[in-house]
Amino acid sequence: MISTSIDAVAILGPMIEVGGGCHCGAVRFRARLPDPPVPALDCNCSVCSATGFVHIIVPHEDLQLDRGSESLTSYRFGTGAADHLFCSTCGVKSFYQPRSHPNAWSVNANCLDDPVTLEIERFDGRDWEAAKAALDGVAGSD
């Protein structure tokens, strides 16, 4: 799991800066990521599997929204803890606030301007509680 420490470089090593956004360009962001391969999660929950969202977890302080805050529309379901943010013009979710990582954003790897090499871990979002426990390394979660 990616650390949300302020001193991410000391923990993760060298960082790269990437840009990305929605399809129409109304929402644009920059993010700092660890040097590739970048850890990512492939979730099979109902929303992620329907939209092809591949999660790159980015600490809040490492994502800068360059434009489009007024274009973001929120969608919540289930527990309501996750804040799914979609562009109100084109409907693309380029990043959102996941319930699994309350101190970080989840950036869609498919919304980056330039692809990065990913190290993908499967996340069983259909059995969210057990998958989150496994992600956190909680004993007895397998």
Side-chain angles (χ1 to χ4, degrees), residues 21-52:
C22 68
H23 185 260
C24 72
V27 176
R28 296 292 305 157
F29 64 82
R30 283 176 288 132
R32 288 175 14 106
L33 307 177
D35 267 352
V38 175
L41 297 171
D42 182 17
C43 177
N44 67 350
C45 79
S46 60
V47 170
C48 295
S49 59
T51 62

Short mmCIF file of all heavy atoms in Angstrom, two decimals, residues 21-52:
data_model
loop_
_atom_site.label_atom_id
_atom_site.label_comp_id
_atom_site.label_asym_id
_atom_site.label_seq_id
_atom_site.Cartn_x
_atom_site.Cartn_y
_atom_site.Cartn_z
N GLY A 21 -6.62 13.91 -16.70
CA GLY A 21 -7.91 14.57 -16.59
C GLY A 21 -9.00 13.78 -17.29
O GLY A 21 -8.81 12.62 -17.69
N CYS A 22 -10.12 14.43 -17.44
CA CYS A 22 -11.29 13.80 -18.05
C CYS A 22 -11.17 13.83 -19.58
O CYS A 22 -10.22 14.39 -20.13
CB CYS A 22 -12.55 14.50 -17.58
SG CYS A 22 -12.71 16.19 -18.18
N HIS A 23 -12.16 13.27 -20.25
CA HIS A 23 -12.14 13.18 -21.71
C HIS A 23 -12.24 14.54 -22.41
O HIS A 23 -11.53 14.81 -23.37
CB HIS A 23 -13.29 12.27 -22.19
CG HIS A 23 -13.28 12.03 -23.65
ND1 HIS A 23 -14.10 12.71 -24.51
CD2 HIS A 23 -12.53 11.19 -24.41
CE1 HIS A 23 -13.87 12.30 -25.75
NE2 HIS A 23 -12.93 11.37 -25.71
N CYS A 24 -13.11 15.41 -21.92
CA CYS A 24 -13.33 16.69 -22.59
C CYS A 24 -12.30 17.76 -22.21
O CYS A 24 -12.23 18.81 -22.84
CB CYS A 24 -14.74 17.21 -22.33
SG CYS A 24 -15.03 17.81 -20.65
N GLY A 25 -11.51 17.51 -21.16
CA GLY A 25 -10.48 18.46 -20.74
C GLY A 25 -10.94 19.48 -19.72
O GLY A 25 -10.15 20.32 -19.29
N ALA A 26 -12.19 19.42 -19.31
CA ALA A 26 -12.67 20.38 -18.31
C ALA A 26 -11.99 20.17 -16.96
O ALA A 26 -11.73 21.14 -16.23
CB ALA A 26 -14.19 20.26 -18.15
N VAL A 27 -11.68 18.91 -16.62
CA VAL A 27 -11.00 18.58 -15.36
C VAL A 27 -9.57 18.19 -15.69
O VAL A 27 -9.33 17.28 -16.50
CB VAL A 27 -11.71 17.41 -14.63
CG1 VAL A 27 -10.95 17.00 -13.39
CG2 VAL A 27 -13.15 17.79 -14.30
N ARG A 28 -8.62 18.89 -15.09
CA ARG A 28 -7.19 18.62 -15.31
C ARG A 28 -6.49 18.58 -13.96
O ARG A 28 -6.77 19.39 -13.07
CB ARG A 28 -6.55 19.70 -16.17
CG ARG A 28 -7.08 19.80 -17.58
CD ARG A 28 -6.73 18.61 -18.45
NE ARG A 28 -5.30 18.40 -18.45
CZ ARG A 28 -4.68 17.26 -18.74
NH1 ARG A 28 -5.37 16.19 -19.04
NH2 ARG A 28 -3.38 17.17 -18.72
N PHE A 29 -5.55 17.65 -13.81
CA PHE A 29 -4.80 17.53 -12.56
C PHE A 29 -3.34 17.17 -12.86
O PHE A 29 -3.00 16.74 -13.96
CB PHE A 29 -5.41 16.47 -11.64
CG PHE A 29 -5.38 15.07 -12.20
CD1 PHE A 29 -4.25 14.27 -12.10
CD2 PHE A 29 -6.50 14.55 -12.83
CE1 PHE A 29 -4.22 13.00 -12.64
CE2 PHE A 29 -6.48 13.27 -13.36
CZ PHE A 29 -5.33 12.49 -13.26
N ARG A 30 -2.51 17.36 -11.85
CA ARG A 30 -1.13 16.88 -11.83
C ARG A 30 -0.97 16.06 -10.56
O ARG A 30 -1.56 16.39 -9.53
CB ARG A 30 -0.13 18.04 -11.80
CG ARG A 30 0.04 18.72 -13.14
CD ARG A 30 0.96 19.92 -13.06
NE ARG A 30 0.24 21.00 -12.36
CZ ARG A 30 0.75 21.71 -11.36
NH1 ARG A 30 1.96 21.50 -10.91
NH2 ARG A 30 0.03 22.66 -10.79
N ALA A 31 -0.18 14.99 -10.65
CA ALA A 31 0.04 14.14 -9.48
C ALA A 31 1.49 13.69 -9.42
O ALA A 31 2.14 13.53 -10.46
CB ALA A 31 -0.87 12.91 -9.54
N ARG A 32 1.97 13.52 -8.19
CA ARG A 32 3.30 12.95 -7.97
C ARG A 32 3.12 11.47 -7.64
O ARG A 32 2.33 11.11 -6.77
CB ARG A 32 4.01 13.66 -6.82
CG ARG A 32 4.46 15.06 -7.18
CD ARG A 32 5.06 15.85 -6.02
NE ARG A 32 5.41 15.10 -4.84
CZ ARG A 32 6.66 14.79 -4.47
NH1 ARG A 32 7.69 15.19 -5.18
NH2 ARG A 32 6.87 14.10 -3.36
N LEU A 33 3.85 10.63 -8.39
CA LEU A 33 3.78 9.18 -8.22
C LEU A 33 5.17 8.63 -8.00
O LEU A 33 6.16 9.24 -8.42
CB LEU A 33 3.20 8.52 -9.48
CG LEU A 33 1.87 9.01 -10.03
CD1 LEU A 33 1.53 8.28 -11.32
CD2 LEU A 33 0.79 8.83 -9.00
N PRO A 34 5.28 7.46 -7.37
CA PRO A 34 6.60 6.83 -7.25
C PRO A 34 7.11 6.43 -8.63
O PRO A 34 6.31 6.22 -9.56
CB PRO A 34 6.35 5.61 -6.37
CG PRO A 34 4.90 5.34 -6.48
CD PRO A 34 4.22 6.65 -6.76
N ASP A 35 8.43 6.35 -8.77
CA ASP A 35 9.00 5.86 -10.03
C ASP A 35 8.35 4.53 -10.39
O ASP A 35 8.11 3.70 -9.52
CB ASP A 35 10.51 5.67 -9.89
CG ASP A 35 11.30 6.89 -10.34
OD1 ASP A 35 10.72 7.83 -10.89
OD2 ASP A 35 12.53 6.89 -10.12
N PRO A 36 8.09 4.30 -11.69
CA PRO A 36 7.52 3.03 -12.12
C PRO A 36 8.42 1.84 -11.76
O PRO A 36 9.63 2.01 -11.68
CB PRO A 36 7.40 3.19 -13.63
CG PRO A 36 7.30 4.68 -13.82
CD PRO A 36 8.19 5.27 -12.76
N PRO A 37 7.81 0.67 -11.58
CA PRO A 37 6.38 0.42 -11.74
C PRO A 37 5.58 1.01 -10.58
O PRO A 37 5.94 0.87 -9.42
CB PRO A 37 6.28 -1.10 -11.77
CG PRO A 37 7.46 -1.58 -11.00
CD PRO A 37 8.54 -0.56 -11.22
N VAL A 38 4.49 1.66 -10.92
CA VAL A 38 3.63 2.34 -9.95
C VAL A 38 2.61 1.34 -9.40
O VAL A 38 1.92 0.67 -10.18
CB VAL A 38 2.90 3.53 -10.61
CG1 VAL A 38 1.93 4.18 -9.65
CG2 VAL A 38 3.91 4.55 -11.14
N PRO A 39 2.51 1.22 -8.07
CA PRO A 39 1.49 0.32 -7.49
C PRO A 39 0.09 0.76 -7.89
O PRO A 39 -0.23 1.95 -7.88
CB PRO A 39 1.68 0.47 -5.98
CG PRO A 39 3.04 1.06 -5.81
CD PRO A 39 3.30 1.88 -7.04
N ALA A 40 -0.74 -0.20 -8.27
CA ALA A 40 -2.11 0.10 -8.69
C ALA A 40 -3.03 -1.04 -8.25
O ALA A 40 -2.57 -2.15 -8.01
CB ALA A 40 -2.18 0.28 -10.20
N LEU A 41 -4.31 -0.73 -8.14
CA LEU A 41 -5.31 -1.71 -7.76
C LEU A 41 -6.33 -1.86 -8.88
O LEU A 41 -6.81 -0.87 -9.44
CB LEU A 41 -6.04 -1.28 -6.47
CG LEU A 41 -5.19 -1.17 -5.21
CD1 LEU A 41 -6.00 -0.53 -4.08
CD2 LEU A 41 -4.69 -2.54 -4.80
N ASP A 42 -6.68 -3.11 -9.19
CA ASP A 42 -7.72 -3.42 -10.16
C ASP A 42 -8.88 -4.00 -9.37
O ASP A 42 -8.81 -5.13 -8.87
CB ASP A 42 -7.20 -4.42 -11.18
CG ASP A 42 -8.23 -4.75 -12.25
OD1 ASP A 42 -9.21 -3.98 -12.40
OD2 ASP A 42 -8.06 -5.77 -12.93
N CYS A 43 -9.94 -3.22 -9.22
CA CYS A 43 -11.09 -3.58 -8.39
C CYS A 43 -12.21 -4.14 -9.26
O CYS A 43 -12.46 -3.65 -10.36
CB CYS A 43 -11.56 -2.34 -7.63
SG CYS A 43 -13.03 -2.58 -6.63
N ASN A 44 -12.92 -5.15 -8.72
CA ASN A 44 -14.01 -5.76 -9.46
C ASN A 44 -15.39 -5.37 -8.93
O ASN A 44 -16.38 -6.06 -9.20
CB ASN A 44 -13.87 -7.28 -9.46
CG ASN A 44 -14.05 -7.90 -8.09
OD1 ASN A 44 -14.10 -7.20 -7.08
ND2 ASN A 44 -14.12 -9.22 -8.04
N CYS A 45 -15.47 -4.27 -8.16
CA CYS A 45 -16.78 -3.85 -7.65
C CYS A 45 -17.66 -3.41 -8.82
O CYS A 45 -17.20 -3.27 -9.96
CB CYS A 45 -16.64 -2.72 -6.62
SG CYS A 45 -16.37 -1.09 -7.32
N SER A 46 -18.92 -3.17 -8.55
CA SER A 46 -19.88 -2.85 -9.61
C SER A 46 -19.51 -1.59 -10.39
O SER A 46 -19.65 -1.56 -11.61
CB SER A 46 -21.29 -2.72 -9.03
OG SER A 46 -21.33 -1.69 -8.04
N VAL A 47 -19.01 -0.57 -9.73
CA VAL A 47 -18.66 0.68 -10.42
C VAL A 47 -17.35 0.53 -11.18
O VAL A 47 -17.27 0.89 -12.36
CB VAL A 47 -18.59 1.87 -9.43
CG1 VAL A 47 -17.99 3.10 -10.08
CG2 VAL A 47 -19.96 2.20 -8.90
N CYS A 48 -16.31 0.03 -10.54
CA CYS A 48 -15.00 -0.07 -11.19
C CYS A 48 -15.02 -1.02 -12.39
O CYS A 48 -14.42 -0.73 -13.42
CB CYS A 48 -13.93 -0.51 -10.20
SG CYS A 48 -13.65 0.72 -8.90
N SER A 49 -15.70 -2.15 -12.25
CA SER A 49 -15.74 -3.09 -13.37
C SER A 49 -16.54 -2.52 -14.54
O SER A 49 -16.21 -2.77 -15.69
CB SER A 49 -16.27 -4.45 -12.93
OG SER A 49 -17.56 -4.35 -12.41
N ALA A 50 -17.55 -1.72 -14.26
CA ALA A 50 -18.35 -1.12 -15.33
C ALA A 50 -17.62 0.00 -16.05
O ALA A 50 -17.87 0.25 -17.23
CB ALA A 50 -19.68 -0.61 -14.77
N THR A 51 -16.72 0.69 -15.34
CA THR A 51 -16.06 1.86 -15.93
C THR A 51 -14.61 1.64 -16.31
O THR A 51 -14.01 2.51 -16.93
CB THR A 51 -16.13 3.06 -14.96
OG1 THR A 51 -15.44 2.72 -13.75
CG2 THR A 51 -17.57 3.45 -14.65
N GLY A 52 -14.02 0.50 -15.93
CA GLY A 52 -12.62 0.26 -16.26
C GLY A 52 -11.64 1.09 -15.44
O GLY A 52 -10.53 1.37 -15.88
#
